[in-house]
Amino acid sequence: MKKNIIYISIAVIAGLLAGYLIFGNSGRERNAVKDLSDMSDTHDHSGESENQMWTCSMHPQIMQPEPGDCPICGMDLIPAESGADGLAMNEIKMTENAMALANIQTSVVGKGQIGSNSLKLSGKIKANEESNAVQVTYFGGRIEKLYVNSTGERVRAGQRLATIYSPDLVAAQQELLTASSLKESQAELYKAVKNKLKLWKLSEKQINAIEAAGKVQENFPVFATVSGTVTYKMVEEGDYVKQGQPLYKIANLNTVWAEFDAYENQIASLKEGQNIKVTTNAYRNEVFDAKVSFIDPLLNSATRTVVVRAVLPNKKDLFKPGMFVEGTIEGTQTSAENTVSIPTTAVMWTGERSVVYVKTKPDVPVFEMREVRLGNATGDSYTILEGLKIGDEVVTNGTFTVDAAAQLQGKKSMMNASGGKTMTGHEGHLGMQEGSFGENADKTNHSQMKERIEVSNKFQNQLKQVFDDYILLKDALVKDEAKSAQQVAKQIDQSLKKVDMKLLSGEEAHNHWMTIQKELKKSANAIEKSSDIANQRVHFKHLSAHMISGVQLFGVNETVYSEFCPMADNNNGAFWLSLEKEIRNPYYGEAMLKCGEVRQTIE
């Protein structure tokens, strides 16, 4: 019996060994065939190194250290080009296909300016304070009648502005009539009484009229002492006023001030006497020449700006106080021959660091992140104080796509200064690190997501309702209206509930929208619960980042502008969406309404 068991065991082992030899080899052959079908005919991966990276043929920005499925489209990953081997620790190589898809462009750094050698400033028209006057009353009493009742009215010197009943003047007139009857014997008394009336700005003609009439006049007129436009009315009929109390502010608008805000890093490029060209939306085809007449010696600690002023002639009354204007100062780079300057599109901000991507090999698309120290901003370029030298080749278009690829490969990147693999779990959103749809989402530039997903018109219309509510929220923050912002945030939450996710076909669109919807709802709810406008603006930045993602990925059948303010969020910078190119900053409101620029047009 024991011998039979031994024989059976030997037979089973032999059968298993034979099966392994037959079917195991067959499986390896099938795998080898699959590997060969995945590899390019021009690349031999038979001797893959431990550092082999895998990519997607449809989405070359995807780079992973092991085979698997593409996190965007689900296709099998294929071995990356063998040329990616032998790179330095933090270098990244991109395929020619990826370069073309992202429209990545570079520029060689040379002496002087790559960008425009000009400085653009935003500002407002103000009344020329040197030509302003305050119209006061020279005697106390009750205002019986106002003849100028609103701001904006023009007055001329000598025009009657009001009539006042003054008990003091009534008593002084009685003294005049008494002294007039004694002027032959009491000439000095008569002269003293007349001088007293003249101190109250009564003219010789008025005094003579009182004497001739021989009776006291109860109501006295107040006449304008200057010509100009009433900018502020300070009293109403029936008010009691004291001697010397202001009645109106009157501005002579024959000249006006154009006051601009200049940021800290622009101050060194400014000096009094510089020519400045002023433009305004009111007269789009006209340019007005002026000179910088004043640079504020004090820095506004809240906005980190100084006031730059120019005086504009205004005899034709073209400029109105409060009108928005832009000023351009040409030739602000004083030593272009010895400076290194690059376009603003090449620079990315993290709030603490400024970084660029440098092409490290002239004939191969290999890039490496480099930190730089910025100098003055002049027009569409930055002066570089440290980090670049003449001859370096920097990425000037598609910078965020290069940064996204660096993050996915675990190389040094904008938000990952030390390098190391970054697993997102949602790789389709270029440039996002772990948690980028959470509290730190705003550190990533969502506005660079350009790959449109085809969805139905019905879904786009539902998303557009969310977008329309977002615009109302943006407008409320522009006007510094915290209560209105709360109400509109509640509307956003309601509109999100009406977006039917079943209208989306395909896992990619479904996954994107689930994540975006969750974050939009979180931010809207936070704004709704907060009455503090500063806190609302913090959450609005997060809301805007995901709203930009939604509009770029799915579209809303409307032209939308992605705008950016580098000063927002303590100089970290922040984006928002607008239907107009004109900058109206929701992060500062009236305090710094024109801070920002259009970064992208989304069709």
Side-chain angles (χ1 to χ4, degrees):
M1 182 66 178
K2 290 181 179 179
K3 289 182 179 180
N4 291 337
I5 293 174
I6 292 171
Y7 294 150
I8 292 172
S9 298
I10 291 172
V12 170
I13 292 171
L16 290 173
L17 180 59
Y20 173 76
L21 292 173
I22 296 171
F23 296 105
N25 285 334
S26 175
R28 284 197 298 272
E29 290 173 0
R30 285 196 300 271
N31 288 338
V33 171
K34 183 179 186 301
D35 288 343
L36 287 171
S37 66
D38 284 343
M39 288 188 286
S40 169
D41 292 339
T42 60
H43 297 83
D44 181 10
H45 298 280
S46 58
E48 287 177 8
S49 69
E50 294 181 359
N51 295 325
Q52 175 65 60
M53 300 296 292
W54 297 75
T55 187
C56 173
S57 59
M58 295 298 294
H59 300 93
Q61 69 270 25
I62 298 301
M63 287 287 178
Q64 292 188 359
E66 56 187 23
D69 296 333
C70 173
I72 298 178
C73 63
M75 292 180 61
D76 290 338
L77 297 180
I78 62 174
E81 288 184 351
S82 58
D85 296 333
L87 299 179
M89 180 183 298
N90 288 302
E91 287 183 333
I92 169 179
K93 180 179 180 182
M94 300 192 68
T95 64
E96 295 295 340
N97 187 29
M99 293 278 289
L101 286 173
N103 190 26
I104 294 172
Q105 299 174 12
T106 61
S107 296
V108 176
V109 176
K111 291 183 179 180
Q113 299 277 68
I114 289 178
S116 172
N117 186 22
S118 63
L119 179 63
K120 292 187 177 180
L121 304 173
S122 297
K124 284 183 179 179
I125 295 295
K126 288 185 63 177
N128 186 340
E129 293 180 8
E130 295 175 350
S131 302
N132 285 355
V134 177
Q135 180 68 54
V136 302
T137 175
Y138 294 98
F139 45 84
R142 182 181 67 243
I143 297 177
E144 295 294 313
K145 179 71 174 178
L146 285 178
Y147 296 95
V148 176
N149 288 293
S150 62
T151 58
E153 289 191 47
R154 291 183 177 275
V155 298
R156 64 185 183 280
Q159 178 180 337
R160 184 168 58 174
L161 301 178
T163 56
I164 296 178
Y165 168 74
S166 174
D168 291 338
L169 268 179
V170 170
Q173 289 178 83
Q174 189 61 57
E175 290 178 8
L176 174 67
L177 295 177
T178 302
S180 178
S181 64
L182 300 173
K183 63 182 176 181
E184 296 296 335
S185 59
Q186 301 287 338
E188 291 299 323
L189 174 63
Y190 174 68
K191 184 178 180 180
V193 171
K194 287 186 68 174
N195 286 337
K196 181 180 178 180
L197 291 173
K198 288 179 180 179
L199 290 174
W200 281 331
K201 297 299 180 181
L202 268 68
S203 66
E204 188 75 32
K205 183 178 179 180
Q206 286 177 301
I207 295 172
N208 292 337
I210 295 170
E211 284 189 69
K215 61 179 181 179
V216 173
Q217 183 177 337
E218 291 187 352
N219 297 327
F220 266 82
V222 176
F223 296 103
T225 56
V226 295
S227 299
T229 302
V230 174
T231 57
Y232 192 41
K233 187 181 77 154
M234 309 169 79
V235 291
E236 299 292 342
E237 287 185 1
D239 287 351
Y240 281 85
V241 293
K242 298 179 181 179
Q243 183 178 2
Q245 182 172 331
L247 304 178
Y248 302 94
K249 287 185 178 180
I250 299 175
N252 186 333
L253 299 180
N254 286 336
T255 60
V256 293
W257 284 350
E259 287 198 343
F260 303 94
D261 292 322
Y263 300 116
E264 268 183 291
N265 61 0
Q266 298 172 329
I267 295 175
S269 300
L270 299 168
K271 60 182 179 181
E272 292 185 14
Q274 283 177 311
N275 293 323
I276 181 169
K277 295 185 179 297
V278 180
T279 57
T280 174
N281 287 336
Y283 314 105
R284 293 182 180 274
N285 297 323
E286 294 190 56
V287 178
F288 303 90
D289 293 319
K291 290 184 181 295
V292 174
S293 60
F294 173 78
I295 299 173
D296 198 333
L298 302 178
L299 180 76
N300 186 321
S301 58
T303 61
R304 312 306 301 174
T305 60
V306 297
V307 172
V308 179
R309 181 186 303 152
V311 179
L312 294 170
N314 194 39
K315 290 185 178 180
K316 294 183 179 180
D317 201 26
L318 297 178
F319 298 104
K320 318 293 183 185
M323 181 182 288
F324 289 114
V325 290
E326 288 189 351
T328 302
I329 301 175
E330 300 289 348
T332 53
Q333 191 67 38
T334 56
S335 57
E337 186 64 23
N338 299 315
T339 59
V340 173
S341 185
I342 61 174
T344 56
T345 54
V347 182
M348 296 184 294
W349 296 274
T350 69
E352 298 177 354
R353 301 177 298 130
S354 298
V355 301
V356 299
Y357 273 89
V358 178
K359 189 177 181 184
T360 57
K361 298 184 179 181
D363 301 322
V364 184
V366 175
F367 306 95
E368 183 178 25
M369 189 203 79
R370 188 177 299 175
E371 292 187 27
V372 295
R373 186 160 70 91
L374 300 181
N376 295 328
T378 53
D380 56 1
S381 67
Y382 280 109
T383 299
I384 303 300
L385 302 179
E386 292 180 6
L388 290 176
K389 63 182 184 299
I390 294 172
D392 285 340
E393 188 172 355
V394 297
V395 176
T396 54
N397 190 70
T399 314
F400 283 94
T401 302
V402 178
D403 187 74
Q407 290 187 44
L408 291 169
Q409 293 189 32
K411 303 298 178 71
K412 286 173 64 176
S413 58
M414 179 173 66
M415 300 309 300
N416 189 7
S418 59
K421 185 64 180 175
T422 303
M423 300 303 293
T424 69
H426 201 72
E427 309 293 334
H429 290 259
L430 294 181
M432 296 185 185
Q433 294 185 356
E434 183 177 9
S436 65
F437 272 123
E439 294 300 320
N440 298 321
D442 303 327
K443 295 179 180 178
T444 301
N445 186 347
H446 297 264
S447 67
Q448 296 299 316
M449 297 171 54
K450 299 178 180 178
E451 190 174 342
R452 180 63 56 85
I453 298 175
E454 294 296 328
V455 296
S456 67
N457 287 334
K458 188 172 183 180
F459 179 85
Q460 283 185 324
N461 290 336
Q462 292 174 354
L463 177 60
K464 188 177 185 303
Q465 183 56 57
V466 179
F467 171 74
D468 290 342
D469 293 339
Y470 166 88
I471 293 296
L472 293 176
L473 174 60
K474 183 265 295 183
D475 292 341
L477 295 177
V478 166
K479 298 174 183 176
D480 300 317
E481 296 177 353
K483 188 173 181 180
S484 297
Q486 286 181 286
Q487 295 171 349
V488 179
K490 186 175 181 179
Q491 290 178 218
I492 291 177
D493 185 47
Q494 296 300 318
S495 297
L496 282 169
K497 293 177 181 178
K498 297 177 183 178
V499 179
D500 187 1
M501 196 180 301
K502 295 178 182 177
L503 296 172
L504 296 174
S505 59
E507 185 177 356
E508 179 189 6
H510 187 268
N511 289 341
H512 277 303
W513 176 244
M514 279 198 306
T515 308
I516 292 171
Q517 182 189 47
K518 175 184 175 182
E519 298 303 324
L520 290 175
K521 180 178 177 65
K522 183 194 299 184
S523 300
N525 288 342
I527 294 173
E528 180 187 351
K529 293 175 183 177
S530 175
S531 58
D532 177 23
I533 196 163
N535 189 44
Q536 289 176 343
R537 283 168 170 152
V538 171
H539 293 291
F540 179 73
K541 178 181 178 181
H542 186 238
L543 179 77
S544 295
H546 299 287
M547 195 72 244
I548 292 171
S549 299
V551 171
Q552 288 189 317
L553 286 172
F554 304 112
V556 289
N557 288 323
E558 192 160 8
T559 300
V560 181
Y561 300 99
S562 176
E563 299 173 345
F564 179 76
C565 171
M567 304 291 291
D569 189 23
N570 295 321
N571 292 322
N572 290 335
F575 285 84
W576 74 94
L577 291 175
S578 176
L579 292 172
E580 302 88 21
K581 285 186 177 181
E582 180 182 0
I583 299 298
R584 295 176 60 81
N585 192 316
Y587 296 106
Y588 285 103
E590 188 63 30
M592 201 156 53
L593 191 65
K594 299 293 288 183
C595 176
E597 61 183 354
V598 176
R599 281 292 183 87
Q600 186 184 9
T601 301
I602 307 172
E603 301 291 344

